[in-house]
Amino acid sequence: MSSRGASEPLAVGRVIGEVVDSFIPSVKMEVIYNGSKQVSNGHELMPAVVAAQPRVEIGGEDMRSAYTLIMTDPDAPSPSDPYLREHLHWTVTDIPGTTDVSFGMEIVSYETPKPVIGIHRYVFILYKQRGRQTVKAPTTRDQFNTRMFSSENGLGSPVAAVYFNAQRETAARRR
C-alpha cells in the first residue's frame, strides 16, 4: 500500500483536517479490543466492546525509540455540536519502539467511550518523541487540542493514526 493510500481513510473520515494535519504514516500500529477486535479506519465498534483499555502494538524502529499515544474524540459531546472538541480519552508516553503501550507511562488514564448523541470518531494518534520523559501531561480532557499538544511537546507530525466509530447502544440494538 502506498503511503498516500495509508492516510486516505483518515482524510475521508475528516481526522486529517479536524484533528491532525496531513502526514505520511511511517510506523505500524495495531489497536485491539477484547483480545480480537482490531480497530480499522471508519469501522463501527459497540461501546460494550471498547469499555476496557485496548492492547496497542507498535512496530517502531527499536527499543530505544520512545512514542506517545493519544486517544481523542473530536465529536464531543455530539457530532453536530462538538463544542468540547476534542475530548481526550487516553495518553501514554515513553512507549518503547517495538512493543505495546503497557510498557509506556500512562499520563492520562483510559476513559471508556460513552457516546450519547450521534456517531463519534475515536482517534488513536501515535507520535515519535525526541527523547524519553520529554512529554508533559495535558491539563484538561475537554477542549484538548492534538495539534497544540504536539507542538508544545515537540512531537512533530504523527507517525501513525487509526480511528473507529461508535454510537450509543439502544435497547433494540443490544438484544
Side-chain angles (χ1 to χ4, degrees), residues 4-78:
R4 181 172 173 75
S7 61
E8 201 167 315
L10 296 170
V12 170
R14 298 183 331 278
V15 169
I16 290 177
E18 291 182 8
V19 181
V20 294
D21 295 324
S22 191
F23 71 98
I24 295 170
S26 58
V27 172
K28 186 173 190 255
M29 175 175 69
E30 290 185 341
V31 180
I32 300 138
Y33 278 99
N34 283 353
S36 64
K37 293 265 191 225
Q38 185 165 341
V39 173
S40 298
N41 283 319
H43 288 220
E44 185 171 347
L45 293 175
M46 295 293 147
V49 170
V50 299
Q53 178 176 310
R55 191 172 86 242
V56 181
E57 295 176 359
I58 297 167
E61 291 147 24
D62 58 53
M63 291 301 281
R64 291 184 306 276
S65 301
Y67 294 86
T68 292
L69 176 74
I70 294 167
M71 179 187 178
T72 182
D73 172 4
D75 301 315
S78 82

Side-chain angles (χ1 to χ4, degrees), residues 10-174:
L10 296 170
V12 170
R14 298 183 331 278
V15 169
I16 290 177
E18 291 182 8
V19 181
V20 294
D21 295 324
S22 191
F23 71 98
I24 295 170
S26 58
V27 172
K28 186 173 190 255
M29 175 175 69
E30 290 185 341
V31 180
I32 300 138
Y33 278 99
N34 283 353
S36 64
K37 293 265 191 225
Q38 185 165 341
V39 173
S40 298
N41 283 319
H43 288 220
E44 185 171 347
L45 293 175
M46 295 293 147
V49 170
V50 299
Q53 178 176 310
R55 191 172 86 242
V56 181
E57 295 176 359
I58 297 167
E61 291 147 24
D62 58 53
M63 291 301 281
R64 291 184 306 276
S65 301
Y67 294 86
T68 292
L69 176 74
I70 294 167
M71 179 187 178
T72 182
D73 172 4
D75 301 315
S78 82
S80 59
D81 185 18
Y83 64 87
L84 297 177
R85 172 177 296 166
E86 301 159 36
H87 183 79
L88 183 63
H89 279 267
W90 195 28
T91 306
V92 183
T93 64
D94 297 325
I95 305 162
T98 55
T99 182
D100 68 71
V101 294
S102 65
F103 291 96
M105 180 147 56
E106 188 177 68
I107 61 173
V108 175
S109 62
Y110 183 80
E111 182 180 292
T112 302
K114 291 188 175 88
V116 178
I117 302 166
I119 298 171
H120 289 240
R121 295 165 292 165
Y122 294 92
V123 186
F124 293 89
I125 306 144
L126 187 69
Y127 291 95
K128 185 173 181 185
Q129 295 173 211
R130 289 182 319 231
R132 294 200 186 278
Q133 297 172 345
T134 56
V135 178
K136 299 196 178 7
T139 54
T140 180
R141 284 189 188 256
D142 284 333
Q143 284 151 355
F144 178 77
N145 185 308
T146 297
R147 284 185 186 92
M148 203 158 32
F149 180 79
S150 166
S151 173
E152 288 167 359
N153 289 285
L155 295 171
S157 290
V159 294
V162 66
Y163 80 100
F164 68 89
N165 294 322
Q167 60 185 312
R168 184 175 176 185
E169 291 182 64
T170 63
R173 293 179 68 188
R174 267 190 232 125

